Amino acid sequence: MPSHDRRTRTLGLLASIHPRHPIWGKIIWLFDRLWRIIWWLWTSVILGGILVGAAAALITSSNGTTGLADPRTWIVIRPLLAHPRRATAGLALALILTLLAYLAHRAWSRYAAEDKNAASEYGLQRVDRLDADAYVPIYVERVYLPRHEADGGDADARASAALRAAATRADPAAPDGPLGICVFGRPTEGKTRLAWEALRAALPDWTFVKWPYSRARDFDYAAYRGQNVALWLDDLQKYSADEATTLNDLPRRFATAGARLVVVATCRDDKDETLVRGRHESLLARLTPIRPVDISDAEASQLAAALAKEGVEVRIDQFDRTPGSLLLGVRRMRDERYPALSPDAKHTLWALKLLRSAGIYEYPGPRVRVVAGIFGLNEAYWRDTLNELAGAGFVRIGAIGAGGDRALEPVADAYLDDAVPEYPSPLAANATAADDWPALQRILTQQRDAAALWSLGDAYSERPLGNLRDNQQHAIACYTAALDDYTRDTAPAEWAGVQNSMGIALAALARVSEGPERKPLFEEAVAAYRAALTVFTRAAAPADWATTQNNLAVTLGAQAGLAEGAERARLLEAAAAASRAALTVFTRAAAPADWAMTQNNLAITLSD
């Protein structure tokens, strides 16, 4: 093998070793520390030796005259000349150690920068070292009211026990068995606080991973090989339909990476729970449901007294039988603080409500600022507006991001739901935030905000109200704009995900169209799915691949309905093949809902 090939393979191997690896990571860390010592030694030996030798030579020489002597007579050089073999071996060893230390230093520095960015998005700390204020609305550490379930059982104890059972399950890689908990309840019921306390009690030394609603970077599963990971999925109903496949596949991905996973999730009940069960049946089947009930008047008085003792303002007159109604004071925020806000602050809250209505739950400063411009925000007072909203308790201001802007995070969803009464306008009959989606689409397209456009496209595609044809056309326009930034080369996973969404919207548009328009739309949908499958492979992304195969099968079947003879038979055969491909991943044990749906689709195709 040529020497340059060996060097390339060696450097590639070194680059593939992750500093978080339980064994190699410690070695890389050690060599990174060694680099500092080696750098100091080389600097001291080379520069110091040269300076000392030159100085000594200038002061005196072997013949008694001053001036620069022969370097072979210098103090540093003479031992090397006296023992050339030892010197050569020692120098070779030093150079090898120096090279390894330098490579380790580069790797550690690179991953340290990446970890810092990833930590801001995913958390990535031990559970007992987390700042609870970043995850629990208005967190008061010393005040917590134990919760009960409908049967009178201790909800906290049951949640903690379920987490410990999941943490100690015999086979972490098995596709079934206990995986964690999901806390269900209505808004302000205290779901997040209960989940948080159970997590801290049961898994204090586990690595915390918060899964974002939309991701700016891919997650490095391999970095957590051999580690214990607590996956935080707060408000499952907020995750988009496109993210559903990824969430359902997370247990497999962590297991493949060699990590032990426990899931801690929350979800609103009622219609939100129905929606989530349709998207995440395979995941929820492995999570123990925890359902805290409303608190009594006596418990409310006890909680209010404890909060008041900690200096927290409590309005017992706003109690609606949930802990959050006492702590959050939604009515106070609506009737007292919201009216006192400046127009710019109100417009910023309207922007958050508008984004949220489109399934967009990440609020970087630039995104919110331009969307608030729809309502007339004066950007000259942007920083003052942020400080005003934070001071009034509506939002938390995040760390400074790239470009100097700060992200916004609503303190509580209930504030946007109920404490911002002027948007959508209560004076306009049947007004909804979706009325402003076209304006939002224009702004996001101008800003080339691909992630937000993808979410807005999904919101249009799934919207059951209004003109169904217009909804799908808007969705397709959003996806097309997103694909201007998501390319197969620069963002392959996102590009493929948008292509899959595009296929869904094109197929839906075909179904509500008439005449000759339908056939080319189905053809475009099939082309979009096949494009997605060039990235979503069975080996690299089995769940995404299977989902896209199933979508392709359904669309091919619909396309066959417009064809005749040999063409119809060819399309039906292709549809059956796609369904059978999906069933190699969607098994009855691992994904019962997807398995049943795909089996049904296959039966229809075979019947045709």
Side-chain angles (χ1 to χ4, degrees):
M1 178 185 293
S3 61
H4 71 275
D5 289 343
R6 285 196 296 269
R7 286 196 300 270
T8 300
R9 289 188 62 183
T10 301
L11 292 175
L13 176 62
L14 289 171
S16 68
I17 298 174
H18 199 289
R20 284 189 178 274
H21 190 280
I23 298 176
W24 287 110
K26 295 177 182 178
I27 296 175
I28 292 176
W29 178 85
L30 180 63
F31 271 91
D32 173 61
R33 297 302 183 270
L34 182 62
W35 167 251
R36 304 177 187 184
I37 300 173
I38 290 176
W39 175 255
W40 179 83
L41 286 175
W42 276 116
T43 303
S44 301
V45 169
I46 295 175
L47 294 180
I50 292 174
L51 292 174
V52 171
L58 287 172
I59 294 172
T60 181
S61 64
S62 59
N63 59 12
T65 61
T66 59
L68 188 62
D70 186 340
R72 289 175 294 180
T73 66
W74 293 3
I75 295 173
V76 176
I77 303 299
R78 285 202 301 264
L80 301 180
L81 296 177
H83 306 282
R85 291 185 178 179
R86 295 180 182 177
T88 301
L91 181 61
L93 178 61
L95 289 175
I96 292 173
L97 286 175
T98 300
L99 176 61
L100 291 175
Y102 173 68
L103 291 174
H105 173 70
R106 284 187 58 185
W108 194 267
S109 299
R110 181 175 66 254
Y111 282 110
E114 292 178 2
D115 281 354
K116 182 178 180 180
N117 292 331
S120 66
E121 184 171 12
Y122 291 100
L124 308 184
Q125 294 187 59
R126 275 178 48 132
V127 168
D128 55 6
R129 296 175 184 171
L130 291 167
D131 179 8
D133 287 321
Y135 304 100
V136 182
I138 311 183
Y139 182 75
V140 184
E141 183 173 9
R142 289 185 292 273
V143 177
Y144 178 66
L145 180 70
R147 307 301 302 279
H148 301 283
E149 294 191 276
D151 60 1
D154 188 328
D156 297 277
R158 187 180 179 205
S160 297
L163 291 180
R164 293 190 181 97
T168 57
R169 63 187 185 274
D171 184 4
D176 51 10
L179 191 61
I181 63 172
C182 186
V183 185
F184 295 95
R186 63 185 175 116
T188 71
E189 189 67 78
K191 303 181 294 297
T192 301
R193 181 65 187 269
L194 192 160
W196 183 264
E197 295 302 329
L199 172 64
R200 290 206 314 172
L203 311 172
D205 58 346
W206 282 48
T207 300
F208 176 88
V209 173
K210 174 196 69 173
W211 203 257
Y213 302 118
S214 61
R215 288 169 288 150
R217 58 183 57 81
D218 290 336
F219 187 81
D220 188 357
Y221 300 94
Y224 295 88
R225 181 176 183 82
Q227 295 195 34
N228 296 325
V229 174
L231 180 64
W232 181 255
L233 301 175
D234 195 23
D235 283 326
L236 272 173
Q237 73 278 357
K238 289 185 179 180
Y239 293 94
S240 68
D242 288 296
E243 193 70 6
T245 300
T246 299
L247 291 186
N248 294 337
D249 198 37
L250 286 178
R252 183 199 64 82
R253 294 193 183 191
F254 277 100
T256 301
R260 180 181 284 270
L261 181 72
V262 169
V263 175
V264 183
T266 69
C267 180
R268 289 188 177 185
D269 58 11
D270 200 27
K271 62 180 181 180
D272 286 318
E273 181 179 349
T274 301
L275 173 67
V276 167
R277 288 197 176 278
R279 292 176 176 175
H280 305 288
E281 186 196 29
S282 60
L283 178 64
L284 289 176
R286 302 182 62 186
L287 303 181
T288 300
I290 307 296
R291 299 181 183 276
V293 295
D294 290 347
I295 62 176
S296 65
D297 291 337
E299 289 175 319
S301 298
Q302 174 189 344
L303 179 59
L307 289 170
K309 188 176 181 180
E310 294 295 322
V312 178
E313 183 180 0
V314 178
R315 296 286 292 271
I316 195 70
D317 60 314
Q318 298 183 19
F319 175 55
D320 69 356
R321 315 207 72 77
T322 67
S325 62
L326 296 173
L327 186 61
L328 298 176
V330 175
R331 194 185 308 166
R332 179 185 70 246
M333 299 294 284
R334 183 189 64 217
D335 297 340
E336 300 175 15
R337 295 192 181 179
Y338 177 80
L341 293 175
S342 67
D344 284 334
K346 291 181 179 179
H347 296 157
T348 301
L349 291 176
W350 295 5
L352 293 176
K353 290 196 73 168
L354 175 57
L355 288 165
R356 189 167 177 263
S357 74
I360 302 169
Y361 298 104
E362 302 289 341
Y363 307 117
R367 176 182 291 169
V368 178
R369 190 171 65 245
V370 297
V371 174
I374 294 174
F375 306 107
L377 172 75
N378 187 337
E379 293 193 23
Y381 301 106
W382 174 243
R383 293 188 181 277
D384 292 337
T385 298
L386 293 186
N387 292 332
E388 181 183 0
L389 287 172
F394 280 95
V395 302
R396 288 191 288 260
I397 309 301
I400 297 176
D405 276 289
R406 296 178 181 271
L408 287 74
E409 182 180 351
V411 169
D413 289 341
Y415 290 163
L416 294 182
D417 289 338
D418 301 319
V420 183
E422 293 180 336
Y423 183 81
S425 173
L427 303 178
N430 301 319
T432 68
D435 296 333
D436 288 319
W437 284 2
L440 177 61
Q441 180 182 338
R442 287 193 297 272
I443 289 291
L444 297 178
T445 302
Q446 292 170 5
Q447 297 298 313
R448 301 177 68 92
D449 192 338
L453 283 165
W454 187 4
S455 295
L456 178 58
D458 289 345
Y460 266 123
S461 185
E462 297 171 7
R463 189 181 185 217
L465 304 176
N467 187 305
L468 301 183
R469 182 181 174 87
D470 286 348
N471 288 344
Q472 300 305 329
Q473 289 176 332
H474 277 294
I476 292 166
C478 289
Y479 299 141
T480 301
L483 289 172
D484 288 339
D485 288 291
Y486 285 154
T487 69
R488 192 182 190 283
D489 294 329
T490 60
E494 290 79 5
W495 176 84
V498 176
Q499 290 284 7
N500 182 61
S501 294
M502 178 77 83
I504 294 172
L506 286 165
L509 180 58
R511 291 187 180 92
V512 297
S513 298
E514 297 179 358
E517 294 181 356
R518 301 184 68 194
K519 182 178 179 181
L521 287 170
F522 278 129
E523 290 173 348
E524 290 180 51
V526 168
Y529 291 135
R530 295 199 187 281
L533 289 169
T534 64
V535 172
F536 290 156
T537 64
R538 191 183 191 284
D544 293 313
W545 175 82
T547 297
T548 308
Q549 288 281 11
N550 183 64
N551 292 339
L552 174 61
V554 173
T555 303
L556 286 168
Q559 189 181 7
L562 303 179
E564 296 179 356
E567 176 68 7
R568 174 180 170 84
R570 182 187 66 80
L571 291 170
L572 288 172
E573 289 173 0
S579 291
R580 290 190 176 102
L583 288 170
T584 64
V585 172
F586 290 154
T587 64
R588 185 175 185 179
D594 293 322
W595 174 82
M597 175 184 62
T598 308
Q599 288 280 14
N600 183 67
N601 293 338
L602 176 58
I604 293 172
T605 300
L606 293 172
S607 176
D608 289 341

